[in-house]
Amino acid sequence: MECTFASGIAAVSNPSTIAVERSLMHDDGIVKVLQQQQQSCTPVKKMFLHAVGSVGARRRTNSRGLSAVAPLQSALDFTCKLHESSDRKSRCNNFHGSFGSSRRDCLFSENSGLSCLHGSSCSQAPTLASITTPVITRDVEEGFSNLAPSVPPPAPEQNLNLFQRITASVLDWVEKTGVAGLESKFQLPAALDPSVHLQGNYAPVEARRVMHELEVMGKLPQGLEGMYVRNGANPQFVPTGGHHLFDGDGMLHAVQFKQGIVSYSCSFTRTYRFVREQEAGRPLFPKAIGELHGHGGVARLLLYTARSICGFVDQKQGMGVANAGVVFHNGHLLAMSEDDLPYQVRMLEHGELETVGRYDCDGQLSSSTMIAHPKVDPVSGELFALSYSVVTAPFLKYFYISPQGIRGPEVSITLPEPTMIHDFAITENFAVIPDQQIVFCLKEMFSGGSPVVHNSKKTSRFGILPKYDQTEARLQWIDVPDCFCFHLWNAWEEKEDIVVIGSCMTPPDSIFIESDEALKSTLSEIRLNRTTGVSTRHEITSLNLEAGQINHNFLGRKSRYMYLAIAEPWPKVSGIAKVDLVTGEVTKYMYGHKCYGGEPTFVPHSSDPLAAEDDGSLLVLMHNENTDQSKLLVLDAASASLQLEASVKLPSRVPYGFHGTFVTAKELAKQQ
């Protein structure tokens, strides 16, 4: 069975867990089985078995029914063993310290709609979290408090059988005590610290219904009709452990232009993960980057596996967040992240977005994932994509979908190890596939490390595959030493060369782990000679440029202009750069003091193939941290200074996010 980084949990769990669960159905055998299992299991599994045994023993003495009190009482005894050292007996006010000692300032106060893990007398009660638990500031508190009304308390699950009720209580206890104890031993680096990644305008916001007739300053370009939509991470629950910038639930922000009227709405993409956690009223799934580290990460995987086996979550439904990319193809607006299949979203007549569901191309996609950056060929209308697995070979697959929604052959690509491939490129005749130095190694967690690893001994390479081949037989690999491109902006053919334009990032793993070296993301030209098998690479500009687009009518063809975010100070974006690949000239538009934006989206003014490449507008979301006001800016892409044409005042704060697209009015009319 093929599974992804976060869904391939069974690979690290022990099948004997099933025997334990089955034994719970028979009281006479439970003690014997538990004793057998505890002889040779890991500390993490011992923790789980200890809890199951405690509950099973109480079950035999209380035949009238089992409440949550029994496992929780056992939890108290076991918790003392996990937290016996004095340095871990911190008070709850350590956690609340940044707000003051008053409990009304607690992130988990009654006003937030969430329950304090430390109980009703939390101001004096010992906390199960260590003093290394990240402090959440008021910005984050307000964000989650705003979300609380849209997350109703879970209704009692009347359809659970006795075994499931027992197991649910046990697993909840294991998470709140044992797993939290393991995680608290891990000092969070800045890259995984919620107090870093959920500060200020990174804090989450609540979904907002459509607001019409927004205030527009300046004049909108004539013919700008359609919807700009941008994806981003917006966690619906307070992080209980590590949290990475990429971990939050997907939220789409949509700005519609219709006959001179501008509207705005934002909504969560209702993935299976989001819906299931909303029903439960708390997180149930491990975070792919923020939580899967060391022994705590192993515990998270085992916990998820146990919940899946017991039927609390369904691995077949995926566990992705759909928070990164967004693309429109064959009448489908798709939100995606590479940990799952895309989710289809539809714009309703009145301007709001609704989630249609997980998109598998009418059952044609055999893979369980799709990367966040599929490519739509502007000439053929076909969508080209990759799917990778971090557990089972083949670790990579390539496929395409016709304009009518028919999937072509699925090509398995042989890789020596599972590799992170966030993006790739196409030309008129080829797919260009990077195989770089960031790899996945799940066993690193058992030694206390991260499963996302920089393999410095590996030589990065790019594969060139004819776009319509049915096997990998003609795939040509060309080495590109010391190269890690998180994003590739375009590629085209020049005689025997494949020219690739991408942002080369150093250190390669700096967006995943803490690094003493400052992150650099430099726009570079990479040439792959198909005759000699040799590559060359040169830097186009020394600016930190990430998150950008070209005129998509030139995708896969030679293009002159790139429109990229100036990622300074990282990870914030202080402006936009228009890069002329012919002259090397860089035109900047800077937002101003304490104003930051994101990825610019290019919207052509015309579908005329003879129109100038830069004849269009740039749409970008910008937030003013001085006034806490968010706007949508519309810039003239062809002007010498990227002149501001208009700005739209948005009714609420828009957090910094990831990638966006523009769907024309004609395309919206063809939604499926």
Side-chain angles (χ1 to χ4, degrees):
M1 179 183 70
E2 180 178 0
C3 42
T4 63
F5 176 40
S7 62
I9 317 306
V12 297
S13 64
N14 194 315
S16 62
T17 304
I18 301 175
V20 176
E21 292 161 356
R22 288 176 178 167
S23 73
L24 282 172
M25 305 304 293
H26 305 283
D27 292 339
D28 295 337
I30 185 169
V31 175
K32 181 178 180 181
V33 172
L34 289 173
Q35 290 173 344
Q36 292 173 348
Q37 295 298 322
Q38 286 184 305
Q39 295 300 317
S40 60
C41 64
T42 65
V44 174
K45 184 157 288 185
K46 282 183 178 180
M47 176 178 63
F48 175 77
L49 295 175
H50 175 96
V52 174
S54 299
V55 174
R58 187 64 54 91
R59 176 185 169 191
R60 294 198 305 274
T61 61
N62 185 2
S63 59
R64 295 182 182 180
L66 182 70
S67 70
V69 175
L72 291 178
Q73 183 62 48
S74 301
L76 294 176
D77 299 332
F78 192 56
T79 302
C80 293
K81 297 177 182 178
L82 287 175
H83 300 274
E84 359 177 77
S85 60
S86 59
D87 63 326
R88 303 180 60 77
K89 294 180 180 178
S90 57
R91 297 287 182 181
C92 193
N93 55 11
N94 288 331
F95 186 77
H96 305 155
S98 65
F99 308 71
S101 60
S102 173
R103 190 169 184 270
R104 63 180 175 82
D105 289 327
C106 176
L107 175 61
F108 299 97
S109 67
E110 295 90 76
N111 295 332
S112 72
L114 300 170
S115 299
C116 180
L117 298 177
H118 313 144
S120 59
S121 58
C122 78
S123 61
Q124 295 298 323
T127 175
L128 299 181
S130 77
I131 58 175
T132 61
T133 300
V135 174
I136 309 296
T137 65
R138 183 171 295 280
D139 290 328
V140 185
E141 174 195 12
E142 292 173 352
F144 284 103
S145 295
N146 287 337
L147 286 177
S150 64
V151 184
E157 299 186 75
Q158 301 295 336
N159 58 340
L160 295 183
N161 58 40
L162 177 61
F163 165 67
Q164 288 178 314
R165 292 199 299 272
I166 295 172
T167 310
S169 296
V170 170
L171 294 178
D172 291 347
W173 169 79
V174 169
E175 180 174 19
K176 291 180 181 179
T177 57
V179 176
L182 288 171
E183 289 179 333
S184 65
K185 297 177 182 179
F186 175 65
Q187 180 66 45
L188 287 175
L192 304 179
D193 191 339
S195 65
V196 174
H197 289 300
L198 294 177
Q199 285 287 348
N201 197 42
Y202 291 102
V205 296
E206 62 182 338
R208 174 176 285 274
R209 305 200 67 171
V210 65
M211 296 283 290
H212 298 291
E213 299 186 1
L214 301 183
E215 179 183 350
V216 178
M217 301 294 291
K219 185 178 181 181
L220 294 171
Q222 186 176 3
L224 185 62
E225 293 279 323
M227 176 184 64
Y228 166 74
V229 57
R230 197 221 65 192
N231 211 344
N234 196 84
Q236 68 167 321
F237 291 109
V238 180
T240 56
H243 179 87
H244 189 271
L245 192 64
F246 299 161
D247 280 335
D249 297 284
M251 173 173 274
L252 295 172
H253 299 264
V255 180
Q256 185 181 25
F257 302 88
K258 187 174 183 180
Q259 298 176 354
I261 303 298
V262 185
S263 308
Y264 168 81
S265 68
C266 65
S267 60
F268 285 100
T269 300
R270 297 182 63 80
T271 62
Y272 171 73
R273 177 190 187 121
F274 176 88
V275 172
R276 187 65 193 90
E277 290 187 336
Q278 187 182 58
E279 292 171 347
R282 57 190 171 78
L284 295 174
F285 298 79
K287 295 175 184 175
I289 302 178
E291 291 181 339
L292 297 188
H293 286 259
H295 300 131
V298 176
R300 287 281 175 191
L301 294 178
L302 291 172
L303 184 66
Y304 173 72
T305 301
R307 283 177 170 150
S308 177
I309 292 172
C310 297
F312 303 129
V313 295
D314 184 358
Q315 288 192 38
K316 294 180 180 179
Q317 298 299 317
M319 60 184 301
V321 289
N323 67 10
V326 58
V327 67
F328 189 85
H329 179 254
N330 183 35
H332 297 80
L333 179 62
L334 304 176
M336 59 196 69
S337 55
E338 55 247 44
D339 52 0
D340 204 342
L341 289 173
Y343 273 78
Q344 182 187 354
V345 178
R346 180 189 295 119
M347 170 163 271
L348 303 178
E349 182 66 25
H350 58 279
E352 290 188 3
L353 297 173
E354 75 168 0
T355 304
V356 177
R358 197 165 180 242
Y359 179 75
D360 63 358
C361 195
D362 294 328
Q364 298 178 78
L365 299 183
S366 61
S367 301
S368 59
T369 66
M370 182 189 293
I371 68 167
H373 293 286
K375 308 297 181 183
V376 178
D377 190 302
V379 176
S380 70
E382 296 159 320
L383 181 144
F384 296 84
L386 299 174
S387 168
Y388 69 77
S389 166
V390 303
V391 177
T392 58
F395 297 120
L396 183 64
K397 294 180 180 180
Y398 162 82
F399 59 93
Y400 65 90
I401 301 173
S402 75
Q404 296 76 34
I406 307 300
R407 196 209 73 185
E410 189 175 71
V411 181
S412 295
I413 296 176
T414 303
L415 297 178
E417 58 188 336
T419 302
M420 172 173 283
I421 304 178
H422 181 70
D423 201 356
F424 78 123
I426 61 170
T427 70
E428 289 188 67
N429 299 292
F430 299 98
V432 183
I433 302 168
D435 175 24
Q436 301 173 116
Q437 294 175 306
I438 301 301
V439 302
F440 295 100
C441 186
L442 295 178
K443 66 180 181 181
E444 287 293 320
M445 289 190 292
F446 291 95
S447 58
S450 166
V452 183
V453 178
H454 173 212
N455 183 354
S456 59
K457 297 180 180 180
K458 178 180 179 179
T459 300
S460 295
R461 59 182 184 167
F462 282 67
I464 303 172
L465 177 70
K467 276 164 68 173
Y468 300 102
D469 276 16
Q470 300 186 27
T471 71
E472 64 174 334
R474 293 200 293 166
L475 175 64
Q476 179 185 11
W477 290 107
I478 297 178
D479 289 348
V480 186
D482 301 319
C483 176
F484 177 71
C485 291
F486 200 53
H487 292 109
L488 301 177
W489 309 120
N490 200 18
W492 61 83
E493 302 160 32
E494 286 187 9
K495 297 181 180 180
E496 296 303 311
D497 282 352
I498 301 293
V499 181
V500 182
I501 308 296
S503 291
C504 294
M505 188 175 290
T506 55
D509 56 352
S510 53
I511 58 175
F512 302 106
I513 65 171
E514 194 167 9
S515 175
D516 295 331
E517 186 178 348
L519 184 146
K520 288 287 292 180
S521 184
T522 56
L523 187 66
S524 303
E525 178 189 272
I526 302 165
R527 286 184 171 264
L528 311 170
N529 189 288
R530 293 188 292 120
T531 300
T532 65
V534 175
S535 71
T536 60
R537 174 163 63 102
H538 80 269
E539 184 179 286
I540 297 172
T541 175
S542 60
L543 283 174
N544 258 8
L545 299 179
E546 257 294 341
Q549 293 188 8
I550 65 169
N551 181 337
H552 283 282
N553 291 327
F554 288 79
L555 186 70
R557 282 77 184 165
K558 186 172 184 177
S559 57
R560 179 172 179 172
Y561 301 111
M562 303 277 150
Y563 306 95
L564 301 165
I566 302 174
E568 296 174 352
W570 179 269
K572 292 182 178 180
V573 172
S574 55
I576 297 173
K578 175 185 179 180
V579 182
D580 187 328
L581 299 179
V582 175
T583 67
E585 181 182 2
V586 178
T587 303
K588 299 180 186 177
Y589 178 89
M590 305 304 293
Y591 299 126
H593 178 63
K594 296 197 72 174
C595 293
Y596 302 100
E599 176 189 73
T601 295
F602 183 90
V603 182
H605 288 165
S606 166
S607 59
D608 183 356
L610 299 179
E613 182 183 336
D614 60 354
D615 181 23
S617 298
L618 296 176
L619 273 57
V620 63
L621 290 168
M622 184 206 73
H623 183 73
N624 187 327
E625 295 188 352
N626 299 296
T627 63
D628 204 31
Q629 173 65 52
S630 296
K631 294 181 179 180
L632 177 74
L633 305 185
V634 183
L635 309 177
D636 182 359
S639 68
S641 59
L642 296 179
Q643 181 180 352
L644 178 65
E645 295 183 289
S647 64
V648 180
K649 185 177 179 180
L650 300 177
S652 59
R653 179 174 64 85
V654 179
Y656 304 127
F658 303 133
H659 304 286
T661 192
F662 187 82
V663 186
T664 67
K666 290 183 179 180
E667 290 173 325
L668 287 174
K670 297 178 182 178
Q671 287 185 108
Q672 296 188 22

